[in-house]
Amino acid sequence: LYAYWRPRVNYSYNLCFREEDGSVRVLATYDGKSEGEPFVDDLNYAQKYTPAGYTFLGTYEDENGDPWNEDFGHPGGDEDTAVNVFPVYVEGVFNVVRTANELQRALNSGRGVYLMNDIDMEGEALGIGGGSEVNYDSEFRGNGFTVSDFTIAYNVSRLVSIPELDQEGNLLCISLFGNLQGAAISDVTFKDFTMTLDANYSRIRRVY
């Protein structure tokens, strides 16, 4: 009687981060995979182990920088084999935005905005409250996308005093971002928006 043994091998997927100098750092590993098994980040390691100062964009790449092939299966083999998967990170702390609801929440969160696609607001209100004393001081990175079909939100009772405009104050200033201080807004188009003016509040002297 002849017994046959095969070597015990470990098939795994490594979630990796490429450093600025080109070196590769392993963030986490999924061990115990089978030959032909696809990669699934079911424990959300890419988000959990996001490097400090970066934001996970929710997508993955292979070692060549190409989008991860969802049909890829682990090649297996007779030796321990680890396949490297690269979560896509962007430097900076952002809200990753794909929907209208995410955009509105992001504008009021105090964090940056990173658009992943065009957004049709379908007539919904958009803004961080209006009035120049409401500061937007984050980065809005549009990545060439467009935000369209929205109304500009503002608070009719949020009155300010801006000496450069009017010494007496009680001004209603309406804008999408309020007051921009230390902000960076790039590569985004805002179009097809409306503003409905309600100036019935008795203290309003002028509207800007």
Side-chain angles (χ1 to χ4, degrees):
L1 178 64
Y2 294 88
Y4 172 76
W5 288 266
R6 61 175 299 174
R8 176 178 292 177
V9 294
N10 180 36
Y11 305 147
S12 60
Y13 285 106
N14 290 332
L15 274 76
C16 301
F17 175 72
R18 198 179 304 278
E19 305 282 2
E20 291 185 3
D21 62 4
S23 62
V24 173
R25 171 160 50 112
V26 176
L27 302 175
T29 299
Y30 284 101
D31 284 318
K33 298 304 176 182
S34 303
E35 184 172 339
E37 185 173 350
F39 165 74
V40 180
D41 189 9
D42 49 4
L43 296 179
N44 202 23
Y45 282 159
Q47 182 67 51
K48 182 178 180 180
Y49 295 108
T50 298
Y54 285 80
T55 298
F56 175 49
L57 297 185
T59 58
Y60 303 86
E61 295 177 342
D62 61 22
E63 288 189 293
N64 298 319
D66 297 320
W68 184 256
N69 179 5
E70 300 294 335
D71 296 326
F72 176 85
H74 200 289
D78 294 332
E79 300 179 352
D80 289 357
T81 304
V83 176
N84 290 340
V85 184
F86 291 79
V88 179
Y89 297 106
V90 61
E91 189 171 5
V93 180
F94 295 95
N95 289 283
V96 179
V97 171
R98 294 180 173 86
T99 68
N101 286 338
E102 288 176 347
L103 177 57
Q104 184 61 82
R105 290 197 300 268
L107 284 176
N108 290 280
S109 70
R111 299 174 65 189
V113 175
Y114 194 97
L115 286 190
M116 296 293 289
N117 47 253
D118 293 331
I119 294 182
D120 183 349
M121 295 295 297
E122 298 183 349
E124 293 295 319
L126 182 65
I128 65 167
S132 65
E133 83 279 22
V134 180
N135 297 330
Y136 184 80
D137 56 3
S138 302
E139 181 177 1
F140 192 115
R141 194 176 298 182
N143 297 305
F145 295 115
T146 297
V147 179
S148 62
D149 189 17
F150 58 92
T151 60
I152 294 181
Y154 65 94
N155 186 335
V156 69
S157 64
R158 197 186 298 276
L159 304 182
V160 295
S161 176
I162 304 177
E164 294 84 355
L165 298 178
D166 192 309
Q167 293 288 340
E168 297 183 39
N170 280 350
L171 312 179
L172 176 61
C173 294
I174 301 171
S175 62
L176 179 58
F177 287 98
N179 191 29
L180 294 172
Q181 291 189 352
I185 301 173
S186 61
D187 300 326
V188 60
T189 299
F190 296 99
K191 71 175 188 177
D192 299 333
F193 60 87
T194 60
M195 182 197 71
T196 301
L197 177 60
D198 178 2
N200 290 325
Y201 188 57
S202 61
R203 293 178 57 198
I204 296 174
R205 294 185 58 255
R206 294 185 181 178
V207 177
Y208 288 88

